[in-house]
């Protein structure tokens, strides 16, 4: 083995974490485009590091997170609105399409976080509440990340309602039903958000659970999939 090869191997073996610069790097981090140690991965994930949803370590962390305590202590929005289990089962295919629309909005501006989704959902709920009162006034966030999600959801809902109308079921998905679904998603965000500055736990849940099914091109043939585990 020549001297150059030995030097390269030595450098590869002794690479330190690009965050702390002290501990030996153990894993590749797409958030910093470099190698980091497992401790920095755990402590800086979604805090100082902007973690993309396709990071395997981020997904593992989200899947193993203990959200029971957060669920017990969470202050859920719109407490006066009951969202029944039967309602969720009836409209879950619509819920999945709205969830995938939120992810589509996130993909337009992938620096978005759960907090941007929270702002988008709050604005959408307010919009549909005013529609319920007989007014037509769209609340749109000035935050571009939240606004992109808002636009994506509104377009998706309009598409679903149009297809249902074309199929002879114009009254199936009323604005009042959309409002309940948005409130349900708003509560899920509160429960899934892990509290980190750049949390994407809620968006990751949507991406894993709702994206890709069912196809909005086939809403007339949709069957309600299995209901979510949490009924609020």
């Amino acid at each position: 083995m020549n001297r150059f090869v030995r030097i390269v191997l030595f450098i590869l073996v002794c690479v330190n974490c690009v965050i702390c610069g002290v501990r030996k790097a153990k894993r590749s981090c797409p958030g910093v485009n470099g190698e980091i140690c497992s401790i920095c991965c755990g402590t800086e994930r979604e805090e100082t590091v902007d973690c993309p949803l396709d990071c395997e370590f981020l997904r593992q962390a989200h899947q193993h997170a203990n959200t029971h305590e957060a669920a017990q202590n969470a202050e859920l929005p719109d407490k006066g609105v009951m969202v029944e289990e039967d309602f969720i089962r009836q409209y879950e295919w619509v819920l999945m399409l709205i969830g995938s629309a939120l992810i589509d909005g996130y993909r337009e501006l992938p620096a978005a976080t759960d907090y941007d989704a929270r702002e988008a959902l709050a604005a959408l709920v307010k919009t549909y509440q005013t529609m319920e009162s007989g007014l037509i006034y769209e609340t749109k966030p000035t935050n571009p990340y939240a606004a992109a999600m808002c636009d994506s959801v509104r377009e998706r809902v309009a598409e679903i309602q149009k297809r249902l109308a074309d199929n002879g079921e114009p009254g199936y998905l009323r604005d009042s039903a959309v409002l309940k679904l948005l409130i349900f998603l708003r509560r899920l965000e509160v429960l899934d958000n892990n509290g980190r500055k750049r949390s994407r736990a809620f968006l990751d849940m949507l991406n894993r659970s709702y994206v890709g099914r069912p196809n909005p091109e086939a809403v007339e043939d949709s069957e309600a999939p299995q209901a979510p585990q949490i009924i609020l």
Side-chain angles (χ1 to χ4, degrees):
M1 185 183 296
N2 62 42
R3 185 166 178 252
F4 175 75
V5 173
R6 286 200 301 271
I7 292 173
V8 170
L9 289 175
F10 177 79
I11 292 173
L12 290 175
V13 171
C14 298
V15 169
N16 284 346
C17 170
V18 298
I19 295 178
C20 67
V22 176
R23 290 178 290 269
K24 191 174 293 185
K26 297 289 187 180
R27 57 188 61 169
S28 178
C29 174
V32 298
N33 294 315
E35 303 294 314
I36 64 174
C37 67
S38 56
I39 293 177
C40 283
C41 179
T43 57
E44 303 306 316
R45 176 190 305 129
E46 296 183 304
E47 289 285 2
T48 61
V49 177
D50 198 16
C51 304
L53 290 186
D54 59 0
C55 173
E56 61 175 309
F57 299 107
L58 179 69
R59 289 189 169 186
Q60 288 174 15
H62 288 165
Q63 290 173 16
H64 292 92
N66 183 4
T67 58
H68 178 72
E69 185 176 349
Q72 292 293 321
N73 298 326
E75 184 70 24
L76 297 179
D78 303 296
K79 282 187 173 181
V81 179
M82 284 291 297
V83 183
E84 303 83 0
E85 182 175 352
D86 288 345
F87 173 84
I88 290 298
R89 291 185 184 278
Q90 178 183 356
Y91 288 102
E92 184 155 3
W93 64 274
V94 181
L95 185 70
M96 288 186 170
L97 289 172
I98 294 175
S100 67
L102 280 169
I103 292 297
D104 289 344
Y106 157 76
R107 285 176 177 156
E108 287 183 30
L109 298 169
T113 68
D114 288 348
Y115 296 100
D116 299 307
R118 178 178 295 186
E119 188 176 343
L121 288 167
L124 287 163
V125 165
K126 190 171 182 180
T127 293
Y128 279 88
Q129 284 173 336
T130 58
M131 292 167 67
E132 278 288 280
S133 67
L135 301 174
I136 299 178
Y137 179 78
E138 181 179 1
T139 301
K140 189 168 181 178
T142 55
N143 171 358
Y145 303 108
M149 293 184 192
C150 272
D151 289 342
S152 184
V153 169
R154 289 298 303 272
E155 289 169 9
R156 183 63 51 82
V157 170
E159 179 185 6
I160 297 169
Q161 289 177 327
K162 180 179 184 303
R163 289 183 180 279
L164 286 168
D166 291 345
N167 291 329
E169 297 183 83
Y172 178 83
L173 183 63
R174 299 183 183 278
D175 290 337
S176 57
V178 176
L179 175 59
K180 273 193 174 184
L181 293 172
L182 291 170
I183 289 173
F184 182 79
L185 282 170
R186 198 177 174 197
R187 292 172 180 173
L188 284 184
E189 189 282 324
V190 171
L191 295 176
D192 281 326
N193 187 311
N194 59 27
R196 297 194 174 210
K197 293 178 182 177
R198 301 180 183 183
S199 171
R200 292 196 179 98
F202 170 67
L203 291 171
D204 188 25
M205 181 278 292
L206 293 181
N207 192 48
R208 286 183 287 107
S209 304
Y210 291 177
V211 171
R213 50 189 190 126
N215 188 333
E217 295 296 323
V219 295
E220 65 271 20
D221 300 321
S222 296
E223 295 182 0
Q226 183 178 359
Q229 295 299 310
I230 303 174
I231 302 299
L232 306 175

